[in-house]
Amino acid sequence: MLGVLGTAVSAILVRYSQAPSLVTATYRLGWTVLLLLPAALLRGGAEWKRVTRRDVGLCALSGVCLALHFALWFESLKWTSVASSTALVSTEVIFVALGFALLFGGRISRLGWGAIALAVAGSTVLAFAGGGSGGTVGGNGLALAGAAAVAAYTLIGRYQREHLSTTVYTALTYTACLITLLVLDGVTGTAVWGWPPREWLIDLGLAVFCTLMGHSLFSWCLRELSPAYVSAAKLCEPVFAAVLAGILFGEIPDPAEWISGGMVLAGVLLYTYTER
């Protein structure tokens, strides 16, 4: 629940930012690494000596996927509504459930698949219901691409969290993510420096609430819960984000959006039951 609340704030803070999407993502990860890495080096202790080249490579790949997720999703928020963007990016559960079943031999019951289908159906209706502000096909497409990228990040995290602590895994992954974003800044010619303090504060909030309290908690959960469940729980994010967007930006959901939001919550609760 804390992870979902943390990530729900992400779309709101990104909307407040006036910097390019890549700059917002870069600052967010810059703050995250700055806050996390010193503690990780101290708390990791002897575990750092057991980290293999394979671990570094997989965490780097995970970081690349997370960087692509941030870049794609943040850009989608400039072209579509908060409700549509967060709903579509939460379809991550489709990609994760398939990957979990195909790559890890995971089993999802018929009731579990039904619960996922209900939650995804609710997210889909929520994305195209209309509401306070419309979206564009391009913006919705970026959100879907962001969902595929974060699904890959989640699946790699599941594998790595079987033998790496949350501290070491997130330190390696977030560092790789920051490096990837800096490379993307250079390739696209995006100016990283010269932005006002307001942007730094927004991105500090993204780092604390959305990354450390959001993504890091999800990474911790991957050792205790299946990746399909963690991804299904994230489907609550569009509901909270839509409510906040309505209060702060006047993006008032219409009746169809309220109904579809209820479908999302019902699907998540049902999937929680099947996991138990």
Side-chain angles (χ1 to χ4, degrees), residues 53-148:
R53 292 183 178 179
R54 179 182 176 83
D55 290 329
V56 174
L58 286 175
C59 287
L61 179 59
S62 180
V64 170
C65 294
L66 185 60
L68 292 175
H69 161 68
F70 285 141
L72 292 166
W73 181 44
F74 286 7
E75 186 64 21
S76 79
L77 286 164
K78 297 183 181 297
W79 298 97
T80 190
S81 68
V82 169
S84 294
S85 180
T86 54
L88 287 172
V89 83
S90 293
T91 56
E92 165 200 358
V93 67
I94 298 175
F95 303 104
V96 169
L98 291 174
F100 184 52
L102 295 174
L103 301 178
F104 294 92
R107 294 183 179 181
I108 300 175
S109 66
R110 290 183 179 179
L111 184 59
W113 281 112
I116 291 175
L118 177 61
V120 170
S123 290
T124 303
V125 175
L126 179 61
F128 299 103
S133 65
T136 65
V137 175
N140 292 336
L142 288 170
L144 279 173

Side-chain angles (χ1 to χ4, degrees), residues 22-23 25-26 29 63-64 67-68 71 175-192:
L22 277 177
V23 171
T26 302
L29 267 296
V64 170
L68 292 175
T175 301
C177 182
L178 175 59
I179 293 172
T180 302
L181 288 168
L182 289 171
V183 171
L184 290 175
D185 289 327
V187 170
T188 59
T190 303
V192 178

Side-chain angles (χ1 to χ4, degrees), residues 13-28 31 78 191-207:
L13 292 176
V14 171
R15 265 298 182 83
Y16 276 120
S17 175
Q18 297 176 356
S21 302
L22 277 177
V23 171
T24 303
T26 302
Y27 280 9
R28 171 179 177 169
W31 277 116
K78 297 183 181 297
V192 178
W193 306 110
W195 296 98
R198 175 180 181 276
E199 297 297 330
W200 289 84
L201 291 176
I202 289 174
D203 297 323
L204 176 60
L206 284 167

Side-chain angles (χ1 to χ4, degrees), residues 169-264:
Y169 168 70
T170 54
L172 289 171
T173 299
Y174 293 161
T175 301
C177 182
L178 175 59
I179 293 172
T180 302
L181 288 168
L182 289 171
V183 171
L184 290 175
D185 289 327
V187 170
T188 59
T190 303
V192 178
W193 306 110
W195 296 98
R198 175 180 181 276
E199 297 297 330
W200 289 84
L201 291 176
I202 289 174
D203 297 323
L204 176 60
L206 284 167
V208 173
F209 294 106
C210 311
T211 304
L212 297 178
M213 196 180 86
H215 285 277
S216 293
L217 282 179
F218 289 142
S219 294
W220 180 84
C221 290
L222 285 171
R223 190 164 185 172
E224 309 296 329
L225 304 166
S226 78
Y229 171 70
V230 174
S231 295
K234 292 179 185 178
L235 284 168
C236 289
E237 178 187 345
V239 180
F240 297 117
V243 171
L244 289 174
I247 296 172
L248 298 173
F249 306 127
E251 295 181 9
I252 306 300
D254 59 22
E257 289 180 301
W258 287 114
I259 293 173
S260 57
M263 292 170 61
V264 172

